[in-house]
Amino acid sequence: MPDLRAAVIGAGRLGTLHARKYAAIPGIKLAHIIDLDTARAATLATELGATPLSDYRLLTDKVDLVTVASPGITHHEIASAMLQAGIDILLEKPMAETLAQARELAALASSSGRILQIGHLERFNPAVVHLHSIIKNPRFVECHRLAPFTERGTDVDVVLDLMVHDLDVIMSVAPSEVSSMEAIGVAILTDRIDLANARIRFQSGLIANLVTSRVSAKRERKIRFFQPDAYISVDYEARSIQLYRKTPPAQGANFPTISAEQIELGEGDPLADEVNSFVEAVRQRIKPKVTPEDGLRVMELSDQIKKAIQTNPVAT
């Protein structure tokens, strides 16, 4: 098979990582790096043997697949143009700035027959992959995703910037429709929501409590599941799971005991796995690991959360 020609739109931190992953895949020719900052695009392109460009519209007929790692507010415009040009896309989160835009992208991907994979990276985290074999009828989920402030991602609020990761994980392991929701959020350093808390009740009976902040003094990325037979704590960054199971009472005892297990899954390379999964979907013309429909479910939840926040304003 001839090499597939790839490009990366956005030469920031994440785009740089994507570009390096493409450059390492056999059968992929990293053809172009695109960024409005021509010096930054040229530096990365020189490192990886690609050609820099300043305008994504010049990619038509030049590439087969592309990562869109530009600011979230540009995703709809750029991804729409790429799909219309017949180019398959790995679209970094957030899928779009608004739910309406996300729906348009999903419809366009379907009508054009192109691959559109949404960049929910935690799906490829070894701990989350292993989680699927453990989860069984969870009743309560608690998520803490906290980060010190950086300017990156502030073109959108913290729900679309960070909370989407945990929403996607929850929906991937325990999918259900929402029956009710409460949320609160506050803008602290930017003019958008920087800290948010959402409490979601699903029709399955599952309740999820999510706390997300991008103005925290410390960094924490953990999700905890409580189900009838176990308590499961996942540390996204350590790639580890603490599993506590209830075991039958010992002979003569009145109460069950709890057994503890620490599951270390190794560092892995979730981004390489994500990019390779996308490339395989393009080569085989198969459904991507994270589909536009998956992305839409997260966008719908995010939209509901932001509307709930608007009905519960915080005095400042």
Side-chain angles (χ1 to χ4, degrees):
M1 293 178 62
D3 286 356
L4 291 173
R5 302 163 300 167
V8 173
I9 302 175
R13 185 190 67 86
L14 194 53
T16 296
L17 294 174
H18 275 261
R20 290 173 178 161
K21 300 306 179 188
Y22 283 122
I25 300 174
I28 293 292
K29 167 60 178 174
L30 180 63
H32 296 285
I33 304 293
I34 298 89
D35 200 286
L36 291 174
D37 185 333
T38 54
R40 184 164 62 181
T43 298
L44 183 58
T46 299
E47 174 195 337
L48 299 174
T51 301
L53 295 171
S54 61
D55 190 339
Y56 65 86
R57 288 166 291 193
L58 298 174
L59 290 176
T60 301
D61 297 326
K62 288 185 172 70
V63 296
D64 305 295
L65 56 96
V66 63
T67 281
V68 176
S70 56
I73 58 174
T74 68
H75 284 187
H76 175 260
E77 173 189 331
I78 295 173
S80 295
M82 295 298 95
L83 291 170
Q84 290 168 346
I87 298 170
D88 297 313
I89 304 174
L90 173 49
L91 178 61
E92 266 300 335
K93 63 81 191 167
M95 186 174 178
E97 186 179 12
T98 68
L99 177 57
Q101 290 177 347
R103 285 173 173 160
E104 288 179 11
L105 289 179
L108 185 54
S110 177
S111 63
S112 65
R114 307 320 304 171
I115 302 294
L116 175 59
Q117 179 168 315
I118 310 305
H120 288 302
L121 184 61
E122 296 292 15
R123 288 279 199 102
F124 299 87
N125 186 314
V128 174
V129 172
H130 189 76
L131 182 64
H132 285 262
S133 67
I134 303 172
I135 289 292
K136 184 179 180 181
N137 192 30
R139 312 314 297 154
F140 180 67
V141 183
E142 186 173 43
C143 310
H144 287 88
R145 186 172 290 266
L146 315 175
F149 181 76
T150 66
E151 292 187 20
R152 183 175 56 84
T154 54
D155 57 308
V156 295
D157 59 51
V158 76
V159 177
L160 290 181
D161 182 24
L162 297 178
M163 190 181 283
V164 289
H165 288 295
D166 298 306
L167 294 173
D168 179 66
V169 169
I170 292 169
M171 294 302 292
S172 71
V173 300
S176 178
E177 297 298 318
V178 173
S179 60
S180 65
M181 177 186 297
E182 294 180 348
I184 193 167
V186 61
I188 299 173
L189 295 181
T190 76
D191 59 356
R192 302 175 186 270
I193 300 164
D194 294 315
L195 185 153
N197 171 233
R199 187 175 178 87
I200 308 169
R201 182 183 294 273
F202 294 92
Q203 291 180 8
S204 64
L206 172 67
I207 294 175
N209 185 62
L210 301 95
V211 178
T212 309
S213 171
R214 60 185 179 193
V215 290
S216 176
K218 65 175 184 177
R219 183 180 176 93
E220 180 179 344
R221 294 185 175 185
K222 292 184 177 180
I223 185 168
R224 303 169 178 90
F225 290 86
F226 298 81
Q227 60 190 41
D229 68 336
Y231 159 56
I232 306 155
S233 178
V234 176
D235 187 323
Y236 289 116
E237 296 208 299
R239 316 278 204 258
S240 66
I241 298 175
Q242 287 181 305
L243 176 61
Y244 299 88
R245 289 194 184 277
K246 184 171 64 176
T247 58
Q251 187 172 2
N254 293 323
F255 297 99
T257 58
I258 295 176
S259 64
E261 179 183 1
Q262 177 79 13
I263 304 173
E264 301 290 348
L265 295 157
E267 185 65 22
D269 191 337
L271 183 59
D273 292 343
E274 179 184 55
V275 173
N276 275 286
S277 174
F278 170 58
V279 169
E280 186 66 15
V282 171
R283 283 177 170 154
Q284 301 295 327
R285 309 313 301 170
I286 58 176
K287 183 183 296 186
K289 179 76 171 180
V290 186
T291 66
E293 292 73 26
D294 294 331
L296 272 181
R297 281 194 289 271
V298 172
M299 288 296 297
E300 287 164 355
L301 266 177
S302 300
D303 189 64
Q304 289 177 271
I305 290 167
K306 290 192 285 186
K307 286 179 178 177
I309 289 173
Q310 291 171 0
T311 65
N312 191 21
V314 176
T316 58

